[in-house]
Amino acid sequence: MSVNNSEAVAASKPVLNDAIEARKPGVDYDAIDPVKTHKVAELKHTVPLTSCRVDPTGRFIVAGAEDLDIHVWDYESKTKRTLKGHTSWVRSFDFSADGNTLYSACWGGDIKAWNLLDTEPQSKLTIQAHQGSARWVRVSPDQTKLATCGNDLLVKLWDLENGKLLQSFAGHERHVYAVDFHPDGKHLVSQDLMGVIHVWDLQSGKKSRSIDASVMTGYDKKFAADMGGARDLQFSPDGNELATAGITNVVNSFAGVQDPIIMLFDWKTGQEKAKLKPDKTFQGIAWGVRYHPDGFLIGAGADRSGKGELWFRKPGENEFYHTMKLPAAARGLDLLTDSRHLIVAHSHGAVHIYRMTEAEKQQQA
């Protein structure tokens, strides 16, 4: 995601209240450097957040929350609107290419579409998509279909305009946590509770192969339950690599005694390329993963202590080269269109906006 016009870059800079920017001579304040990442703005809410996304044009920041509502901030003005109608947590969003329509997936089983150009958006389409949770929603590259998955063990394909079911893919034996279109538009991938990743051929409607991510699950003896599932899933922009974020080494998942993990797979071969983990002192969940246009990878996680971290990995490396401590657990991650800013949905009820450049000192005006 990149923006080439100077107006968009200028609009991406947060407004400093009662302050002026102080710049050092000779410093490029637009040069991207993850080591320089710092918070520049906070979008406050009153209850813990569950997810976040930025629309493709960079106008809207959206977040799900434990109040079951969707909260939409205008990026430039920071004004907030609330979308009501879901009956459970919303953990997944996607957008139309123009950013005007938001699609949301609810643990109550439904998918909704919202026109963000309306002053007070109401759901313009509701799909009763899954029995049990609807965990994920994605828009196809050609903007004609929606892919969803859920607790009924199914992956489904829908007509984006009228919400009619086009295809249903059966083959998972446990809850399906995430689904995404390959950039070529010809394949879907889906990952379930046990770390099984299926690849679906959209032309034949059949499973073409499977990828083994079984390290991303574990049995919690205390609660006698399997724990796992992708908390985020994304292809690299060129489609050559698949990243999935979640957990491993489960001991007591409800207490957060488990390790975050981000796994990378070669798309062509299906072979594992990397298992990325933070420092051993960090126990919890990897909630987000994003490929930056410059080639590096960004991850976000929640520690059992309630704190969070951002992790950065250079291409080809097998470990994170930089970690940034966060004030509260990260429950979602996304990049803004200028590629210099990222957002994190935090468990303390706020979206924080971070800038990956040299910080500009603020002086009182």
Side-chain angles (χ1 to χ4, degrees):
M1 294 180 292
S2 60
V3 172
N4 296 321
N5 63 78
S6 58
E7 291 182 358
V9 172
S12 70
K13 296 182 180 179
V15 176
L16 302 176
N17 296 325
D18 300 319
I20 58 174
E21 297 176 351
R23 292 193 167 207
K24 301 175 184 177
V27 176
D28 184 355
Y29 288 93
D30 287 328
I32 296 170
D33 182 356
V35 176
K36 304 292 186 181
T37 302
H38 58 285
K39 188 181 82 170
V40 294
E42 180 178 61
L43 306 175
K44 294 182 179 180
H45 188 49
T46 55
V47 301
L49 303 180
T50 60
S51 54
C52 64
R53 284 294 300 274
V54 180
D55 88 275
T57 69
R59 290 171 295 161
F60 306 116
I61 293 174
V62 302
E66 290 185 10
D67 56 13
L68 316 185
D69 295 332
I70 300 169
H71 305 280
V72 182
W73 286 270
D74 181 278
Y75 181 64
E76 188 169 356
S77 69
K78 305 300 187 291
T79 56
K80 186 177 76 168
R81 294 174 290 170
T82 298
L83 313 185
K84 294 182 175 292
H86 281 300
T87 59
S88 189
W89 286 15
V90 176
R91 270 283 300 136
S92 180
F93 299 105
D94 209 358
F95 294 90
S96 58
D98 60 12
N100 294 339
T101 302
L102 170 69
Y103 300 92
S104 54
C106 166
W107 282 6
D110 60 331
I111 304 296
K112 289 184 181 292
W114 314 80
N115 183 1
L116 296 184
L117 297 183
D118 292 343
T119 303
E120 298 181 0
Q122 304 294 318
S123 174
K124 65 178 185 178
L125 175 68
T126 298
I127 303 171
Q128 298 301 323
H130 295 275
Q131 296 295 317
S133 297
R135 291 186 175 269
W136 219 252
V137 60
R138 284 293 180 265
V139 178
S140 62
D142 66 2
Q143 300 288 296
T144 64
K145 307 174 193 69
L146 291 175
T148 66
C149 63
N151 283 10
D152 54 9
L153 315 186
L154 298 174
V155 176
K156 296 183 178 183
L157 203 62
W158 310 86
D159 185 286
L160 182 142
E161 290 298 324
N162 58 34
K164 291 184 178 180
L165 181 65
L166 300 175
Q167 284 180 294
S168 186
F169 303 90
H172 285 286
E173 297 180 358
R174 303 297 294 273
H175 296 169
V176 192
Y177 272 63
V179 64
D180 203 358
F181 290 92
H182 186 271
D184 66 12
K186 299 177 181 179
H187 300 88
L188 278 177
V189 295
S190 54
Q191 182 172 342
D192 67 24
L193 174 70
M194 304 306 290
V196 175
I197 300 174
H198 287 326
V199 179
W200 309 94
D201 186 304
L202 294 181
Q203 291 182 330
S204 68
K206 298 180 179 180
K207 182 179 69 176
S208 60
R209 58 190 170 111
S210 297
I211 297 172
D212 180 14
S214 57
V215 71
M216 298 180 68
T217 190
Y219 186 72
D220 188 326
K221 295 180 180 179
K222 181 176 178 62
F223 290 91
D226 292 311
M227 298 293 173
R231 270 40 173 209
D232 205 357
L233 188 72
Q234 191 182 51
F235 281 101
S236 59
D238 60 12
N240 291 332
E241 192 171 271
L242 176 67
T244 175
I247 61 174
T248 190
N249 298 331
V250 175
V251 177
N252 183 344
S253 190
F254 286 95
V257 186
Q258 61 203 3
D259 294 334
I261 188 172
I262 294 174
M263 295 193 71
L264 308 180
F265 294 94
D266 183 278
W267 170 247
K268 185 177 181 180
T269 66
Q271 296 300 305
E272 173 193 316
K273 294 182 68 175
K275 289 190 186 84
L276 303 171
K277 299 179 184 178
D279 187 271
K280 292 182 179 180
T281 60
F282 191 98
Q283 290 188 310
I285 302 173
W287 280 105
V289 62
R290 286 292 182 273
Y291 286 93
H292 191 276
D294 286 357
F296 60 87
L297 191 79
I298 309 169
D303 184 72
R304 60 181 301 204
S305 68
K307 301 297 184 180
E309 288 182 351
L310 285 172
W311 310 303
F312 298 89
R313 176 245 189 195
K314 294 178 181 177
E317 295 192 351
N318 292 321
E319 59 184 24
F320 299 116
Y321 78 98
H322 177 61
T323 295
M324 178 181 174
K325 302 292 184 182
L326 300 176
R331 286 184 166 179
L333 167 71
D334 207 3
L335 280 166
L336 268 73
T337 52
D338 70 347
S339 75
R340 292 174 177 83
H341 293 85
L342 60 85
I343 64 167
V344 174
H346 284 292
S347 60
H348 64 5
V351 174
H352 284 183
I353 302 174
Y354 298 92
R355 183 174 171 90
M356 295 175 285
T357 67
E358 182 76 35
E360 298 176 2
K361 291 184 179 180
Q362 297 182 22
Q363 298 177 346
Q364 293 302 315

